[in-house]
Amino acid sequence: QVQLVESGGGLVQAGGSLRLSCAASGATFRLYGTGWVRQRPGKERECVAMLTWTDGSTAYLDSVKGRFTIARDNAKNTVYLQMTSLKPEDTAVYYCAANGVPYGCQVDYDYWGQGTQVTVSS
């Protein structure tokens, strides 16, 4: 089994930055890809970023390209989502997830964290 624990959410003003962390534990040898999925109020879940561990390829939601960056620290089994130039419409619960299709940003994953709230004030 794999456990994913997110941290780093909070309240930030528009234009500000936050870094979310996702620490993986357990059977991490099974992991091949990690994504960040958000759920905005009243909206469906959407994938904002995805990282394939085998070759480091990434994919992003169009609306966050150039503002969000997904990265991984192999030694710490931790995946980060650096978010800059935040907008009020980025307000959501952000979930770390792992092991879906190997490439591309999508919302169907085998493992999920508990979520962390990000609120961007205008």
Side-chain angles (χ1 to χ4, degrees), residues 41-96:
K43 304 287 188 181
E44 298 288 323
R45 286 188 177 187
E46 58 185 357
C47 178
V48 297
M50 193 272 189
L51 172 67
T52 301
W53 289 25
T54 51
D55 62 5
S57 61
T58 58
Y60 294 94
L61 182 69
D62 283 347
S63 62
V64 307
K65 284 180 180 177
R67 300 190 297 121
F68 290 12
T69 303
I70 187 170
R72 176 190 171 201
D73 184 326
N74 294 348
K76 296 182 179 180
N77 281 328
T78 299
V79 176
Y80 303 97
L81 184 67
Q82 180 68 50
M83 305 185 293
T84 62
S85 301
L86 282 161
K87 305 175 181 180
E89 52 264 43
D90 293 318
T91 294
V93 178
Y94 283 73
Y95 297 89
C96 175

Side-chain angles (χ1 to χ4, degrees), residues 8-11 18 20 39 41 91-94 115-120:
L11 174 65
L18 279 175
L20 305 183
Q39 187 156 26
T91 294
V93 178
Y94 283 73
T116 186
Q117 176 70 46
V118 171
T119 302
V120 184

